[in-house]
Amino acid sequence: MSGDTPIRIPAEGIHLGTVAAGASGDGAYVGGVLKIRGTPAEDCYDTALEFLGAAQRCLNGNKITDGIPLLVVPGAVCATFACEMFLKYLVLRTGAKPQKWHNLLALFQDLSADTQNAITASIPSAVEVLTRNSLLFVEGRYHFEQPQFAFRHAEMLMLATALHKFCSDKFPRTA
């Protein structure tokens, strides 16, 4: 297709939502979300928000409510992945490329000293929580392979929420 004008994606990106194909109702095919963002950092941030939302739904905001089960392992895994994506977003905002690993403490240590200090000033327990749950994303997904599995879903949801606030305060987004 030489000579075609390249597609230009606006900086704010494009989000087309859920795509449904074919019939409607039970059993109908519904495709995933099609999204194209202007930058990897914005895509990373939006992914973090999506997993934070999934964690909040799974964990019901850490509230025990009759008739609403807590989906503890999926919620903990989603909250942990949200933390990972918020940390990777902060790396991307500096112009660097984040490491391709799921170790939360290692990702935190990849941040500049100034950013680490700002996070710990804003979230005093951040390093402790990241250390305790550093590999939760991997271990939570494969918990059935271990003789025992320990995690703190409530603190991961609180940390993901606090990292969201930190990122949105540091890099406000325009509507």
Side-chain angles (χ1 to χ4, degrees):
M1 293 190 155
S2 63
D4 287 349
T5 304
I7 296 172
R8 303 250 186 251
I9 298 171
E12 68 276 5
I14 302 167
H15 191 284
L16 300 177
T18 303
V19 180
S24 61
D26 290 345
Y29 171 78
V30 176
V33 173
L34 175 62
K35 61 183 177 164
I36 303 169
R37 297 289 183 250
T39 67
E42 293 307 307
D43 196 31
C44 189
Y45 185 85
D46 289 340
T47 300
L49 289 179
E50 290 167 0
F51 276 90
L52 176 57
Q56 289 168 335
R57 285 185 190 175
C58 288
L59 298 173
N60 193 30
N62 287 322
K63 295 180 186 92
I64 305 297
T65 305
D66 286 342
I68 301 176
L70 293 183
L71 303 172
V72 180
V73 173
V77 170
C78 287
T80 304
F81 192 60
C83 290
E84 176 181 331
M85 297 306 288
F86 283 126
L87 293 171
K88 287 183 176 183
Y89 168 73
L90 292 170
V91 171
L92 285 164
R93 287 301 304 244
T94 67
K97 187 174 180 181
Q99 298 294 321
K100 293 190 182 237
W101 52 42
H102 300 291
N103 184 315
L104 295 179
L105 188 59
L107 288 166
F108 177 78
Q109 291 168 341
D110 281 349
L111 298 170
S112 70
D114 287 344
T115 301
Q116 288 180 36
N117 291 336
I119 289 172
T120 55
S122 175
I123 313 165
S125 64
V127 174
E128 294 168 31
V129 173
L130 292 169
T131 300
R132 265 194 304 271
N133 300 283
S134 195
L135 299 175
L136 179 59
F137 181 71
V138 174
E139 291 172 351
R141 292 180 306 153
Y142 298 101
H143 67 89
F144 56 87
E145 295 176 350
Q146 303 169 38
Q148 61 184 14
F149 171 64
F151 58 93
R152 294 168 176 86
H153 63 280
E155 76 178 11
M156 290 312 298
L157 182 57
M158 286 187 274
L159 180 61
T161 302
L163 284 172
H164 170 230
K165 181 175 179 355
F166 178 85
C167 290
S168 63
D169 288 349
K170 185 168 177 69
F171 301 107
R173 298 174 92 187
T174 57

